[in-house]
Amino acid sequence: MRGHRRLRQASAALVAISASAALALSLHAQGNIQTAVNAAYAKYRTLQEGKNADYIPALAKVDPNLFGIAIVTGDGKVFTAGEVGSEVSIQSISKVFTMARVIQDQGPDAIEKNIGVDATGMRFNSIVSVEFAKKLLGGPEINPLVNPGAITATSMVKGGSADEVWAKIIGTYSDFAGRPLSVLSDIYKSESDTNQRNQAIGMLMYAYEYIKSNPAQATDLYTRQCSVGVNAKDLAAMAATLAFGGKNPLTGKQVLSAANVPYVLAVMATAGLYDDSGKWLYHTGLPAKSGVGGGIIAVSPGNFGIAVVSPPLDDAGNSVRAQKAIRDISTALNGNPYSVKGERAVATSGRR
């Protein structure tokens, strides 16, 4: 009996030691993450490079000094610096989550066969890329992260009316963010007043039968989805949901099946940062997506989701501060999924 008692006591002691060690690792990991976030914020807070997008008039009026960083880990912990509660319009980051909705409902073949998954090598709103894909390559040779493919993806969301389609789109975005999201009305109006090129793209995609019906509705809903308001924490939660098999770490809700996540990340990796997607992947290895509202999300699979909001953009349309901050933070946490040296950052703040 004494031997059993001693064994139980020894086991309890080992459990206590293990729990203590895990807590120490957790605190250490949390410290590493927050230190990396703080360092990037301090380094780039006063950076004066780039300028706000102005082809949509309302975007030119957004405070260029807005700068917020957020990371979400697999256990739902959030690490932030700067202004993480101020909303900007999601813009092209929305394309990722509409693509995810279509893949979830209709399977990955629906995107590949009707739109394509190849980088175009041309501007995000290029009409030439549509003509080239159709006439020379036989189509579909676009992708859902450039405007022709994105408007088409929006047209593929199922619903008996525009309101039903919109409810599905905004519901998806809200599930990824972990809170109800809504449209910024001033951005939506400004975009609707100036989206003639996207209207033309929608009609061309309809003429070539990528869009099966009602291109005007698809273009309007696409404009509306780009006008959804998000902050840095929302975007980090959306990225983290992709980082952890489609399950939102903040709410525990399975938003996208784990089997479908790799398809989404693959297109982000090849086409997520406009003309500089290759350069971004070369230096970070992170699937990412930018928007001209100033946000960038990036995914370190199984490790963390990160987002930065800062409106001034470079010539390619990507936030200057966001690129630099994410690159520094990922390097500090060894977030590059192609890297095998050193220890990776943690999928949860207590597990290595």
Side-chain angles (χ1 to χ4, degrees):
M1 292 292 290
R2 288 180 181 177
H4 289 304
R5 187 179 300 114
R6 289 196 189 99
L7 183 59
R8 287 196 298 271
Q9 290 172 341
S11 297
L14 286 173
V15 169
I17 292 170
S18 176
S20 177
L23 176 61
L25 283 174
S26 175
L27 294 174
H28 175 69
Q30 291 179 46
N32 285 347
I33 296 171
Q34 191 62 57
T35 296
V37 170
N38 290 345
Y41 179 76
K43 184 176 181 180
Y44 299 115
R45 180 169 54 88
T46 58
L47 182 69
Q48 299 294 319
E49 294 182 17
K51 65 176 185 177
N52 286 27
D54 56 11
Y55 68 95
I56 300 169
L59 297 185
K61 300 176 183 178
V62 178
D63 181 4
N65 296 311
L66 176 63
F67 182 31
I69 304 172
I71 283 182
V72 175
T73 54
D75 53 2
K77 287 189 169 57
V78 183
F79 304 85
T80 67
E83 299 176 62
V84 297
S86 299
E87 287 189 344
V88 297
S89 53
I90 192 170
Q91 296 298 332
S92 285
I93 298 172
S94 68
K95 298 170 180 174
V96 170
F97 303 100
T98 299
M99 169 175 64
R101 178 76 270 154
V102 174
I103 290 174
Q104 183 72 4
D105 291 346
Q106 302 173 41
D109 285 352
I111 289 290
E112 185 176 10
K113 291 180 178 179
N114 191 53
I115 298 172
V117 291
D118 287 326
T120 66
M122 300 180 193
R123 294 287 290 175
F124 69 95
N125 60 353
S126 172
I127 291 174
V128 174
S129 66
V130 180
E131 293 287 352
F132 183 82
K134 188 68 176 179
K135 296 297 186 183
L136 298 183
L137 299 178
E141 289 287 341
I142 312 175
N143 68 76
L145 301 187
V146 293
N147 288 16
I151 295 169
T152 302
T154 299
S155 79
M156 295 171 67
V157 177
K158 301 295 187 181
S161 67
D163 287 344
E164 287 184 14
V165 173
W166 177 247
K168 187 170 288 189
I169 291 172
I170 194 64
T172 299
Y173 295 6
S174 297
D175 285 344
F176 270 97
R179 74 174 182 100
L181 300 179
S182 59
V183 170
L184 301 176
S185 58
D186 60 326
I187 301 290
Y188 176 55
K189 182 181 186 308
S190 186
E191 289 206 49
S192 296
D193 290 343
T194 56
N195 71 345
Q196 290 79 17
R197 186 180 184 88
N198 279 343
Q199 292 178 43
I201 288 172
M203 290 300 294
L204 183 60
M205 296 300 282
Y206 177 60
Y208 283 151
E209 299 182 330
Y210 295 101
I211 293 176
K212 308 306 180 187
S213 65
N214 207 339
Q217 175 179 295
T219 303
D220 178 65
L221 291 175
Y222 169 75
T223 304
R224 197 184 308 180
Q225 77 179 41
C226 288
S227 305
V228 168
V230 287
N231 58 43
K233 182 183 173 183
D234 296 330
L235 292 174
M238 296 171 95
T241 302
L242 293 172
F244 296 102
K247 184 177 183 178
N248 187 318
L250 301 182
T251 65
K253 183 171 184 176
Q254 191 72 40
V255 181
L256 178 68
S257 68
N260 284 331
V261 171
Y263 299 108
V264 175
L265 295 182
V267 183
M268 291 173 67
T270 57
L273 263 74
Y274 303 122
D275 301 348
D276 284 349
S277 298
K279 293 177 184 177
W280 171 261
L281 193 66
Y282 185 78
H283 287 289
T284 70
L286 301 179
K289 185 70 194 84
S290 63
V292 294
I296 295 181
I297 64 170
V299 176
S300 182
N303 209 29
F304 57 79
I306 183 170
V308 177
V309 169
S310 175
L313 313 176
D314 62 16
D315 290 341
N318 303 312
S319 170
V320 177
R321 287 196 196 106
Q323 291 178 83
K324 293 178 181 293
I326 293 173
R327 184 172 171 179
D328 281 12
I329 293 167
S330 181
T331 298
L333 300 178
N334 198 19
N336 188 332
Y338 297 111
S339 174
V340 294
K341 68 177 182 178
E343 288 187 66
R344 296 288 300 280
V346 288
T348 66
S349 58
R351 186 174 72 240
R352 289 180 179 263

